[in-house]
Amino acid sequence: MKQPGQSRRRAFSGVQPSGGLHLGNYLGAIRNWVLHQDDFDNVFCVVDLHRVTVPHDPATQRTATRDVAAWYLAAGLDPGRCILFVQSHVSAHSELAWLLNCVTPMGWVGRMTQFKEKSGAARESVSVGLFDYPVLMAADILLYDAHVVPVGDDQKQHVELCRDIAQAFNRRFGPVLVVPEPLIREVGARIMSLDDPTSKMSKSNPNPRSRIELGDSPKTIRKKFARATTDSLTEVRFDPERPGITNLLGIFRTLTGWSEAQIEAHFAGKLYGHLKKEVADATIQALEPLQRRHDELMSDLTWLESVLASGAERARTIARKTLARVHEAMGLG
Ligand code: ATP
Ligand code: LTN
């Protein structure tokens, strides 16, 4: 279902401003948004309301939010082709989340693995917001009538819940909400931690050596890759039994666009140290132009603020219409 006058399907996605962005956020999400920029009608958000579901520092949060927006722009998102905005600037996100809360069974949300992982033993003391996180995410997507949601593999379950919520709403109140699909590219969808290649690279891992941050210097990038956990074998090839080496090869594959066969041929007879050096070189080369642009944007926020202000304005116009349809269907007002 496209809206009148809309020629392309709409994509919506977002990243939390919860710390320095890492290679997983870039390769699993943001880079794909940039690559698909001409295929969709794009709406991308910095999801700061999701950030506050766990304790945060109010004194640094505004800058952290702008930092994520600066990475979006530095990575190549073009405000002429995308709506870029901050979630808390558009109050309709919270409003729709409330309405969706009232049609979403507790049991559906209780099954979310990310909540189980993030709450852990503290299940009784984490915020209601953390539990409700996926419903707010559903509101983000449904407000913009998004058809596709480009994300990393870890968000698949949340997008599926969003689909279930939209379908449940439509069954009760009529065909009001667009049912979206996840868009997950096979390559780069799950970059693993450098210290423990069986868990995904994440901003919230307390060990900074577990991830390559987009702002890391070449020296730090080389050091982190050099210390990445591997195994005691020597042959460089893709092998699910050897997650450390396979992760490094996967990063190399995503950055170069080469096939697995080409990569294995390239590294035949070479040692792990050689692979680590080449992955570091490819990463440094890919990040260098982004870092330069990011630093420029952060050194004078005037333009960035104007992009976010006009993005919020455009986002509000769309969101207001969806919320009006939802109110009407629910008999509110
Ligand atoms: P946190 O640790 O704060 O939950 P995170 O690092 O998991 O953060 P998010 O803000 O939750 O990152 O994710 C933003 C986007 O990046 C999502 O689309 C998510 O799927 C993607 N992403 C996150 N981590 C990875 C990863 N290791 N590999 C590929 N994609 C990832
Ligand atoms: N939960 C997502 C961030 C997010 C999101 C969204 C992604 C919030 N709202 C809407 C896609 C669409 C995450 O990556 N942790």
Side-chain angles (χ1 to χ4, degrees), residues 100-135:
L100 297 179
N101 277 332
C102 299
V103 301
T104 306
M106 294 272 287
W108 289 4
V109 183
R111 280 198 282 279
M112 295 296 107
T113 49
Q114 186 171 301
F115 174 72
K116 292 184 199 162
E117 281 163 19
K118 291 210 169 181
S119 57
R123 188 75 57 89
E124 293 298 307
S125 55
V126 294
S127 71
V128 174
L130 187 67
F131 182 74
D132 203 32
Y133 179 114
V135 181

Side-chain angles (χ1 to χ4, degrees), residues 16 18 22 24-25 118 152 154 189 191 200-204:
Q16 297 185 69
S18 49
H22 55 72
N25 299 133
K118 291 210 169 181
D154 62 308
I191 305 294
K200 80 162 191 114
M201 188 177 281
S202 158
K203 291 190 224 98
S204 43

Side-chain angles (χ1 to χ4, degrees), residues 4-307:
Q6 191 187 337
S7 58
R8 275 184 278 218
R9 297 198 307 155
R10 181 166 288 147
F12 181 96
S13 198
V15 174
Q16 297 185 69
S18 49
L21 296 196
H22 55 72
L23 206 53
N25 299 133
Y26 178 57
L27 298 179
I30 300 168
R31 199 175 80 131
N32 297 330
W33 309 349
V34 177
L35 291 173
H36 286 291
Q37 210 166 184
D38 289 323
D39 302 335
F40 298 113
D41 181 13
N42 305 290
V43 186
F44 298 118
C45 180
V46 182
V47 291
D48 56 346
L49 297 173
H50 280 100
R51 167 64 184 119
V52 299
T53 55
V54 293
H56 74 290
D57 175 10
T60 55
Q61 192 54 52
R62 283 176 56 86
T63 304
T65 298
R66 271 111 195 116
D67 185 70
V68 173
W71 283 118
Y72 286 2
L73 291 162
L77 289 181
D78 170 5
R81 286 180 282 168
C82 310
I83 297 180
L84 302 176
F85 73 106
V86 175
Q87 189 186 28
S88 64
H89 293 178
V90 181
S91 60
H93 290 252
S94 308
E95 296 175 50
L96 183 61
W98 175 257
L99 301 175
L100 297 179
N101 277 332
C102 299
V103 301
T104 306
M106 294 272 287
W108 289 4
V109 183
R111 280 198 282 279
M112 295 296 107
T113 49
Q114 186 171 301
F115 174 72
K116 292 184 199 162
E117 281 163 19
K118 291 210 169 181
S119 57
R123 188 75 57 89
E124 293 298 307
S125 55
V126 294
S127 71
V128 174
L130 187 67
F131 182 74
D132 203 32
Y133 179 114
V135 181
L136 177 61
M137 177 164 161
D140 298 340
I141 298 164
L142 299 175
L143 259 187
Y144 298 96
D145 294 325
H147 304 91
V148 293
V149 187
V151 282
D153 179 68
D154 62 308
Q155 293 302 310
K156 192 167 177 221
Q157 194 185 34
H158 285 162
V159 180
E160 271 157 12
L161 176 71
C162 173
R163 287 171 61 82
D164 291 341
I165 294 174
Q167 281 161 343
F169 187 98
N170 289 347
R171 271 195 303 275
R172 258 173 84 176
F173 301 111
V176 173
L177 299 174
V178 173
V179 180
E181 281 169 27
L183 180 67
I184 300 172
R185 281 168 70 105
E186 187 229 335
V187 176
R190 197 168 174 79
I191 305 294
M192 309 308 279
S193 284
L194 299 183
D195 61 337
D196 170 12
T198 61
S199 64
K200 80 162 191 114
M201 188 177 281
S202 158
K203 291 190 224 98
S204 43
N205 186 323
N207 179 3
R209 276 201 358 239
S210 67
R211 60 185 164 267
I212 301 292
E213 296 203 6
L214 300 187
D216 278 347
S217 69
K219 193 170 157 213
T220 305
I221 293 174
R222 283 187 212 289
K223 216 188 281 171
K224 286 180 177 175
F225 276 122
R227 292 194 195 158
T229 302
T230 51
D231 53 60
S232 54
L233 300 171
T234 53
E235 198 191 353
V236 177
R237 69 177 165 81
F238 289 89
D239 176 359
E241 300 293 312
R242 292 195 267 161
I245 282 301
T246 300
N247 187 38
L248 296 178
L249 286 169
I251 293 171
F252 191 77
R253 180 179 167 203
T254 314
L255 289 169
T256 59
W258 297 2
S259 70
E260 291 197 3
Q262 271 174 314
I263 293 175
E264 289 186 343
H266 177 75
F267 288 110
K270 298 193 177 132
L271 299 176
Y272 284 4
H274 188 91
L275 167 65
K276 288 176 165 181
K277 185 185 167 303
E278 286 213 26
V279 182
D281 288 343
T283 306
I284 292 164
Q285 203 188 346
L287 293 185
E288 202 263 336
L290 273 70
Q291 294 180 341
R292 220 173 329 114
R293 182 89 184 103
H294 172 268
D295 291 353
E296 275 167 26
L297 289 164
M298 289 304 285
S299 68
D300 175 4
L301 289 174
T302 323
W303 184 68
L304 185 116
E305 294 290 3
S306 75
V307 167

Side-chain angles (χ1 to χ4, degrees), residues 319-333:
R320 208 179 286 130
K321 289 186 191 144
T322 313
L323 203 54
R325 280 196 334 256
V326 168
H327 279 194
E328 171 73 22
M330 293 181 82
L332 294 169

